[in-house]
Amino acid sequence: MAQIAAYRALGARVLSVAMMDDLASRPPCGARWRAYVAATHDIGADRRFFSGPPFAGLASRLLVDGWWRLIHGDQASWLIELARRAPLPDGFWEETVDLIHANHYFTLPFVEALKNGRRIPVVLETQDIQARQYVLRNKGGFFIPPYATYDNMLKVELDWMRRADLSAHLNEEEFHDFRDLLPDSRHALIYPAVPEVPRAAGRDVIIVASDNYANYVSLRWFLEEVVPLSGGARVAIYGNIDGGVKRRDGALYEAHRALFRGRVDDIGSVYANAGAVLLPTIEGHGLSIKAVEALCCGAPLVATPLAFRGMKVDPHALGNVALADDAAQFARHWREAQERADRGDTPPLESDTRRLYESSFSPQAYARTLAAAVEPLLQ
């Protein structure tokens, strides 16, 4: 939705074309399509189209070209073969298209069908190196040897990425990785637009985290290594990370049950009542959306350097950030932040982190950077 909002802010008429990445009923029939449409009812596009590979694809060469590779773990080729079989959506040819913005490399066979031989520039937005994600997923699945390798799946990914006119990368790490892998392609670093959260104006010390393995590892370090050194400093932990900790380490969860607040519908109110935000990040790749939200709220931050991964910024230069390299230092900064919050030292309306958000991660910043990147493609 942020992409659509940005293009509309730039004066474009925007078409949304959704492609299902699995065999599914003809849209809008079937549970998956109904769930998608319900979840994106306010997407903001001027017109919407839907497509996806039908179950009838099983009667084609999909079993040979795609499924046979999939049972050996080759998810890269499977997704490409699904996209090849997605039909053109009804009514699409009524529209004039000047630019296509694709969100995954495996949609590019479908994009080629949409272009139908016309010269339409394509921007491909990357979401990490997908071959890396496939290898991680394959560790927990049952596949038949010979197993698909990282190198083979990466080759499929890169071969299709070369067909895009511009690859847009969401964080600095991705930008450098793909620039090295595809030196002859055009690349741009375009930070995603992160919705604004309210300015911090309270006394709570908070952590906000969703349930993924990297966040679990980071929070486990915080609970086991930092909390015992905190000297009674308080913190409230929001987000569904509570379920992840409980599932992976029930004893750790029970020992710190009082700290967890769970998922809340209005995360904005949590940031509004914050006096400080803790970012105890010791694991993870790519840009952290929760870290960007913390920048936006303007509260003093206590963080590890890894919390700023994927950002082209020196966190030491941010005046309202206290960086910690180990548990003892993190605990000391946390106690100091707690003391300031208890005194009622309300965060100022302007801060270094808030200015960083506005210049790099706001919807306005995204639209500006996007415009500069795509303008040469339209000339």
Side-chain angles (χ1 to χ4, degrees), residues 4 8 12-16 43-48 95:
I4 292 174
R8 294 195 67 178
R13 184 171 187 271
V14 181
L15 313 176
S16 168
I43 196 170
D46 294 284
R47 189 176 181 185
R48 303 184 68 180
E95 299 288 346

Side-chain angles (χ1 to χ4, degrees), residues 190-234:
I190 306 179
Y191 294 126
V194 177
E196 185 173 358
V197 299
R199 305 290 183 92
R203 300 190 178 192
D204 297 340
V205 178
I206 66 170
I207 293 174
V208 180
S210 55
D211 179 18
N212 61 56
Y213 188 72
N215 283 347
Y216 162 70
V217 171
S218 297
L219 195 59
R220 183 181 65 193
W221 172 78
F222 175 78
L223 296 174
E224 292 180 342
E225 304 294 334
V226 180
V227 168
L229 305 175
S230 65
R234 301 185 303 278

Side-chain angles (χ1 to χ4, degrees), residues 154-168:
L154 179 62
K155 183 178 184 302
V156 173
E157 185 172 347
L158 297 180
D159 284 348
W160 279 95
M161 286 183 63
R162 288 187 180 93
R163 308 184 188 206
D165 297 280
L166 172 70
S167 289

Side-chain angles (χ1 to χ4, degrees), residues 108-130:
L108 293 179
F110 180 57
V111 168
E112 289 198 347
L114 294 176
K115 291 170 63 175
N116 193 30
R118 294 174 296 175
R119 174 62 187 133
I120 303 174
V122 175
V123 177
L124 173 65
E125 191 163 295
T126 61
Q127 317 284 330
D128 197 6
I129 297 175
Q130 289 301 291

Side-chain angles (χ1 to χ4, degrees), residues 318-332:
L318 302 173
N320 58 324
V321 174
L323 287 177
D325 295 317
D326 55 39
Q329 192 175 27
F330 199 103
R332 184 171 69 253

